[in-house]
Amino acid sequence: LKAHCFACHGEADELAGELDVRLVRHLQRGGDSGPAVVPGQRDKSSLYLKLKSGEMPPDGKRGLNAEEIELVGRWIDAGAQTKRPEPARYTEEL
């Protein structure tokens, strides 16, 4: 997601669709369209559905390939867990 989504949904001064993809808790909260990730349910997760349909990224920008999209789907189905606890606030490393 960092390579394909952060420019509009993480690093921009104004987040597209009010969606921040930098932390799982923000993906679960979602943006203008509601939750982007519903842990355990890829078919109810707008992030996965928009990636799979080719709707995201918009404007013909290079998106994730089929294998990467499937990986996102499996991650969501497995509960959308992180390897380490998420930080309480952002740091410059993100």
Side-chain angles (χ1 to χ4, degrees):
L1 297 180
K2 185 173 185 177
H4 299 281
C5 307
F6 272 32
C8 296
H9 298 286
E11 297 170 340
D13 290 333
E14 199 168 310
L15 299 173
E18 296 297 316
L19 177 63
D20 188 339
V21 301
R22 293 177 290 179
L23 297 173
V24 174
R25 68 176 176 265
H26 296 304
L27 286 166
Q28 291 175 358
R29 182 180 65 228
D32 291 343
S33 300
V37 169
V38 179
Q41 300 179 52
R42 77 168 77 184
D43 292 333
K44 292 186 179 182
S45 298
S46 63
L47 171 70
Y48 174 77
L49 297 173
K50 289 181 180 200
L51 291 172
K52 187 173 180 183
S53 72
E55 185 178 342
M56 285 293 149
D59 303 326
K61 294 178 184 171
R62 185 176 140 315
L64 283 72
N65 64 39
E67 184 178 315
E68 293 167 328
I69 293 169
E70 177 58 25
L71 181 62
V72 170
R74 289 194 320 262
W75 172 71
I76 292 169
D77 285 344
Q81 299 294 310
T82 59
K83 287 186 178 184
R84 297 181 302 258
E86 293 187 328
R89 60 188 181 95
Y90 297 118
T91 62
E92 292 302 314
E93 295 90 59
L94 293 176

